[in-house]
Amino acid sequence: MTGFSVVIPSVGRPSLGVLLGNLAAQDGPAPDLVVVVDDRPGRDTGQDPCERACADARAAGLDVRLVRSGGRGPAAARNAGWRRVRSEWVAFVDDDVELPADWSTRLLADLTATTTAVGAVQGRIHVPLPTDRRPTDWERGTAGLADAQWITADMAYRRAALEQVAGFDERFPRAFREDADLALRVVGAGWRIVRGDHRAVHPVRPAADLASLKQQRGNADDVLMTALHGPDWYERSNSTVGRIGTHVATTAAAAVALGALLTGRRRVAGLAALGWAGLTAEFAWRRIAPGPRDRAEVRRMLLTSLAIPPAAVLHRLRGELAVRTAPPAPWPTPVRAVLFDRDGTLVHDVPYNGDPELVKPVDGARELLDALRARGVRVGLVTNQSGVARGLLTRADVDAVNARVADLLGPFDTVQVSVDGPDAVSRTRKPEPGMVLDAAADLGLAPAQCLVVGDIGADVEAALSAGARAVLVPTEVTRAEEVEAAPVVVEALTDLDAAFWDRLTGVAPS
């Protein structure tokens, strides 16, 4: 497949339907595939806004696929999306942008004009601002997207570049710095990033009064960026430093004032309080002056200008503590656990088996598990057992069979079972990512540190949605399209030897 596919991370905003409608109504070529990644942490038991928007888009003729990533942030959601496409290019757009009718025509022209050295093409963002008044602080902040470098609100990456650097670093949990981190790694791998002519409109979405306060969490991400890319990453990514130095001074002045007051040094307390008041007033006026200056905006600015400096310092310290406690390794992190499907992968498949005596390991299963344990790699079991929901088994039957598997193959560090039926609204039943996410959490690992081994596409899908790596070991029940879609395929468990492990991870586990 050639051309481009589109990946849209979403949290179920109404704007998703507008965006998909824009894609369906393009004057130019349609994308090979549109992958909508629902990044909400749970599942709707009623009408699902993402499912509804995707159904409407399919009815309009768009090839849309909906997957779920478990609420792990936009970096993880975009990875779950692009790893499912086979197009040469992957266009990332956010679910709150709008695309003009000529977007795909301009995008394809931009992509066609690139040389093989170009790994990404950035789109142009237009942020409409009110014409009848001066913009608010939030609106001015959103307008800054028009000049920002490498933002993924509308950005197309060559899939080969994404594969080379393993996509987005999922340790960035917010829509902040994850795009700059990816671009720096792509450029560091020898690719060029250029600005194209395709355009998107980014309306200013409504924001809560404390939205700017919540944004201070990004100070921890700045610390991670420095740990990964060095102190000059600001210049290399054309990013603003922000006011962290002034926020430190403001917070320090407040702390000195409070400490001096409590110890009876009133003169020192007064001088420090005066410094704090002056810095806070300057910060508030800097935000109020360009805006509409109405009562609501002034109230928001005064409230958040008081709270932002200590919040920024707190998040900065949190980030510093995190990187000092556990210095981050380059992305992708090494695999530290292998999670196995049970039936058809580790043991021969006996449909809805509740009899431990029928458990028969496949060739090489015990040797592989022992070799992984000897390497210090933890092992787990992630298994669908819908026979419970169907009334063909009890949970006690499943547990007895799992105990027999452990008797024959050795102990597992985590065992995750989904007893949901195929018609249930489930977060755990594969291909949903819940069991993989739960296994990683149980082991104290990030999903990216896990590898899932299974025999059907649902195992691979669960791994990709969770952010884990995947290996498919086909059997007679594996469909040809599942083999074609899998990122890594081996003929048998015995092929997962030491040399294969090193090729897969690049780092031999200790």
Side-chain angles (χ1 to χ4, degrees):
M1 185 178 292
T2 59
F4 70 96
S5 291
V6 175
V7 171
I8 307 168
S10 181
V11 290
R13 297 187 185 107
S15 55
L16 173 63
V18 176
L19 172 59
L20 291 175
N22 293 161
L23 284 169
Q26 289 294 299
D27 293 339
D32 299 329
L33 177 67
V34 177
V35 182
V36 174
V37 186
D38 182 352
D39 194 45
R40 294 172 299 163
R43 289 289 308 274
D44 287 331
T45 55
Q47 200 170 34
D48 187 314
C50 290
E51 288 184 350
R52 183 171 62 251
C54 290
D56 291 344
R58 293 187 193 101
L62 204 62
D63 189 0
V64 182
R65 183 175 182 189
L66 175 63
V67 298
R68 294 179 174 85
S69 55
R72 296 179 295 115
R78 293 188 188 107
N79 281 344
W82 76 259
R83 288 172 179 156
R84 286 172 159 90
V85 307
R86 291 295 176 264
S87 305
E88 181 181 2
W89 289 90
V90 183
F92 297 102
V93 294
D94 288 347
D95 72 348
D96 53 356
V97 303
E98 298 175 4
L99 303 179
D102 64 349
W103 178 82
S104 68
T105 299
R106 288 175 178 262
L107 172 64
L108 196 60
D110 287 340
L111 302 183
T112 304
T114 61
T115 67
T116 55
V118 172
V121 180
Q122 180 176 347
R124 300 180 184 273
I125 303 293
H126 170 63
V127 180
L129 295 176
T131 58
D132 59 339
R133 59 169 173 80
R134 291 189 290 186
T136 64
D137 179 72
W138 179 257
E139 290 166 342
R140 295 193 306 274
T142 304
L145 297 175
D147 300 319
Q149 183 163 269
W150 301 335
I151 61 167
T152 41
D154 183 11
M155 184 90 169
Y157 273 92
R158 198 183 292 271
R159 189 162 59 89
L162 293 170
E163 290 174 343
Q164 184 174 350
V165 302
F168 291 85
D169 188 334
E170 297 178 12
R171 292 171 294 189
F172 290 90
R174 286 166 287 278
F176 189 69
R177 303 305 190 203
E178 87 290 356
D179 43 14
D181 168 78
L182 173 63
L184 285 172
R185 288 186 288 114
V186 167
V187 171
W191 299 90
R192 291 177 54 229
I193 298 178
V194 300
R195 190 178 288 269
D197 193 46
H198 60 287
R199 301 169 187 272
V201 177
H202 195 303
V204 180
R205 67 173 184 267
D209 283 353
L210 299 182
S212 58
L213 182 61
K214 292 178 63 177
Q215 287 183 318
Q216 302 312 309
R217 297 172 182 171
N219 283 280
D221 301 317
D222 284 351
V223 177
L224 179 57
M225 286 290 289
T226 300
L228 292 171
H229 300 287
D232 66 338
W233 69 267
Y234 287 102
E235 292 81 11
R236 290 189 286 134
S237 63
N238 196 28
S239 300
T240 57
V241 178
R243 290 176 57 94
I244 186 61
T246 306
H247 292 332
V248 170
T250 306
T251 305
V256 169
L258 180 60
L261 183 63
L262 292 175
T263 56
R265 293 176 293 174
R266 294 186 177 181
R267 179 177 176 81
V268 174
L271 290 173
L274 186 62
W276 167 81
L279 289 169
T280 302
E282 182 274 336
F283 179 41
W285 179 245
R286 182 184 291 269
R287 303 171 71 207
I288 292 170
R293 305 186 196 177
D294 57 34
R295 179 177 297 181
E297 176 72 355
V298 170
R299 178 182 58 83
R300 278 192 295 269
M301 294 302 96
L302 289 176
L303 177 63
T304 54
S305 295
L306 287 169
I308 282 174
V313 172
L314 178 63
H315 288 298
R316 181 83 178 198
L317 291 174
R318 177 173 59 84
E320 293 283 0
L321 179 62
V323 300
R324 290 175 185 270
T325 303
W331 182 264
T333 56
V335 167
R336 299 301 186 199
V338 182
L339 310 176
F340 291 90
D341 170 59
R342 193 189 78 181
D343 303 320
T345 301
L346 288 180
V347 301
H348 292 285
D349 186 17
V350 177
Y352 309 117
N353 181 29
D355 184 356
E357 296 302 317
L358 298 180
V359 174
K360 304 296 180 185
V362 303
D363 292 342
R366 179 69 195 232
E367 293 78 6
L368 172 60
L369 289 169
D370 285 345
L372 289 171
R373 296 182 184 110
R375 281 175 169 260
V377 178
R378 306 175 78 178
V379 295
L381 203 63
V382 286
T383 176
N384 283 352
Q385 294 298 324
S386 67
V388 176
R390 300 172 194 265
L392 302 174
L393 299 170
T394 67
R395 180 57 194 258
D397 293 333
V398 173
D399 292 342
V401 170
N402 286 343
R404 179 58 176 166
V405 173
D407 287 341
L408 295 172
L409 299 180
F412 293 92
D413 297 293
T414 184
V415 175
Q416 304 294 327
V417 178
S418 177
V419 298
D420 294 334
D423 297 327
V425 177
S426 174
R427 65 169 290 275
T428 57
R429 176 179 166 81
K430 294 179 288 186
E432 298 297 330
M435 277 197 291
V436 179
L437 296 175
D438 292 345
D442 191 30
L443 296 172
L445 299 173
Q449 294 175 294
C450 299
L451 168 71
V452 177
V453 180
D455 67 318
I456 60 173
D459 302 312
V460 173
E461 289 288 307
L464 296 181
S465 292
R469 280 165 269 196
V471 172
L472 182 71
V473 187
T475 66
E476 63 276 4
V477 302
T478 312
R479 298 195 300 270
E481 58 267 27
E482 294 174 336
V483 176
E484 183 180 0
V488 179
V489 180
V490 298
E491 292 185 4
L493 288 181
T494 51
D495 293 328
L496 295 170
D497 55 14
F500 172 84
W501 180 273
D502 293 339
R503 289 196 305 273
L504 181 68
T505 66
V507 180
S510 58

